[in-house]
Amino acid sequence: MNYPKIKKAVFPVAGFGTRFLPVTKSQPKEMLPVVDKPVIQYLVEEAVQSGIEEIIIVTGRGKRAIEDYFDQSFELEHNLVEKGKTDLLREVLEIPNLAKFIYVRQSVPKGDGDAIMQAFNIVKDEPFAVLFGDDLVVHEVPAIKQLMQVYEQTGSSVVALTEVLDTELSSYGVVNVKDFKSANLEITDLVEKPKTRAEAPSNLGVIGKYIITPEVLAVLNDLYKKPIISGELRLADALKLAVNSGVPVYGKLIEGERFDTGSKLGLIKATIDFAMRRQDLAPELKEFLKRYV
Ligand code: G1P
């Protein structure tokens, strides 16, 4: 079957970034650097390398730096031309041309599901990708592309999965699947942030990357129209409801190394790993790290 191609990606980035305070007091957590690029640029590149053409960023107050970053910067470009710094100039010029960027605002941070609903009129009835601002995956096949490959076979929504330690399950949405041995894992239940190991149906946790079909968006839209009792509308609520009402949703155990840049340790690990892949930094960094090990 030929299912519609996925050309749009929604980035809900309006959260406060409380885990990184105080640095996130006046700067979006998505702009924190891994070596010399902000986390969000790696995610935009992941989407673009997967075939996405339009990036819809759902921002909020205090997130202007993201818009400025993906815009042109005439003074800087002029300065780099004058100084003859052509390599840096090329790099800077590439950023606004990575994709078509669209910005919508979420006035009150009422959850990632509410954020996605701010893009409802832009995605309309097309399937689309969702990338939360936290998870970097290093693999020759970008993580979103891995999800698209399952979508292309099933025509269904797909969530990214990773194996999670028992002690960390309570921070994740945890899935149950029809057949753990099957190549395409059909999800039968989703327990958001299980309080105990016994409540978790498996050790497979959802990481913040999704393909969302119009069927699941319709479920989210129904929830959006109702009063939100908890104060937040989460994508996980819609996915659980969809699965429980028979809408097919698949999981993909993501290949590659994953860094949770939403945690301090994860960001430090990503920084070291990415720096160690760079010839200009690796030799000296390796020497330096010997002090600690
Ligand atoms: C969200 C999702 C959760 C998922 C997690 C991955 O939670 O609701 O299912 O496991 O992202 O990062 P959050 O961490 O935003 O509270």
Side-chain angles (χ1 to χ4, degrees):
M1 250 308 282
N2 269 347
Y3 297 107
K5 259 191 80 115
I6 293 162
K7 298 195 198 106
K8 295 182 175 144
V10 177
F11 285 56
V13 298
F16 286 125
T18 17
R19 282 202 279 175
F20 273 104
L21 279 170
V23 67
T24 46
K25 185 165 172 270
S26 64
Q27 116 139 325
K29 74 165 179 183
E30 297 77 15
M31 288 300 295
L32 294 176
V34 172
V35 186
D36 52 10
K37 283 200 277 190
V39 169
I40 191 164
Q41 185 173 347
Y42 292 99
L43 294 171
V44 167
E45 288 170 352
E46 173 190 333
V48 170
Q49 283 158 15
S50 304
I52 299 282
E53 293 164 10
E54 278 180 44
I55 305 281
I56 303 143
I57 303 187
V58 186
T59 65
R61 265 185 296 284
K63 300 277 178 172
R64 276 277 304 278
I66 297 176
E67 286 167 67
D68 289 342
Y69 187 79
F70 290 109
D71 197 359
Q72 270 185 274
S73 176
F74 292 111
E75 295 83 351
L76 174 65
E77 288 161 22
H78 181 72
N79 187 278
L80 293 174
V81 171
E82 283 207 324
K83 289 190 176 140
K85 300 200 167 173
T86 42
D87 284 355
L88 281 177
L89 179 67
R90 197 175 316 118
E91 219 174 309
V92 163
L93 287 174
E94 270 170 15
I95 297 168
N97 292 319
L98 280 169
K100 181 176 176 206
F101 292 93
I102 300 169
Y103 296 91
V104 286
R105 293 268 282 214
Q106 186 188 27
S107 334
V108 186
K110 286 190 291 191
D112 51 59
D114 178 85
I116 292 165
M117 284 307 298
Q118 308 310 308
F120 187 74
N121 289 328
I122 304 171
V123 292
K124 296 196 192 94
D125 46 9
E126 275 179 58
F128 59 97
V130 173
L131 288 90
F132 290 173
D134 291 335
D135 291 290
L136 297 188
V137 173
V138 183
H139 193 264
E140 54 195 347
V141 184
I144 284 293
K145 181 90 193 159
Q146 296 181 35
L147 299 188
M148 283 178 179
Q149 289 167 349
V150 177
Y151 162 79
E152 279 154 17
Q153 290 168 37
T154 61
S156 301
S157 291
V158 189
V159 304
L161 299 173
T162 189
E163 283 177 19
V164 177
L165 295 172
D166 283 1
T167 48
E168 289 172 10
L169 281 169
S170 60
S171 306
Y172 289 82
V174 183
V175 298
N176 203 355
V177 302
K178 209 178 209 170
D179 176 5
F180 284 94
K181 291 198 194 90
S182 154
N184 291 334
L185 302 168
E186 190 174 347
I187 296 176
T188 54
D189 198 12
L190 189 149
V191 178
E192 181 70 358
K193 316 233 168 81
K195 287 193 188 65
T196 61
R197 175 66 185 91
E199 260 182 50
S202 73
N203 68 337
L204 298 182
V206 175
I207 57 174
K209 299 178 196 291
Y210 310 79
I211 301 294
I212 299 297
T213 58
E215 291 76 21
V216 168
L217 187 63
V219 176
L220 184 66
N221 189 25
D222 285 343
L223 291 174
Y224 183 69
K225 288 186 205 145
K226 293 181 188 150
I228 304 166
I229 302 148
S230 67
E232 285 204 344
L233 175 59
R234 309 299 303 257
L235 178 58
D237 300 332
L239 284 166
K240 183 179 176 70
L241 191 58
V243 164
N244 293 345
S245 44
V247 176
V249 176
Y250 285 81
K252 165 72 188 164
L253 198 51
I254 291 295
E255 288 171 42
E257 182 149 18
R258 170 220 171 207
F259 297 97
D260 174 11
T261 61
S263 81
K264 289 174 195 171
L265 209 53
L267 187 73
I268 294 166
K269 286 181 186 170
T271 305
I272 294 173
D273 185 272
F274 281 54
M276 288 301 290
R277 290 167 201 276
R278 296 234 323 219
Q279 277 178 1
D280 58 334
L281 301 171
E284 236 183 288
L285 178 61
K286 197 171 173 187
E287 272 312 302
F288 176 74
L289 289 174
K290 281 185 188 157
R291 275 199 219 170
Y292 303 92
V293 289

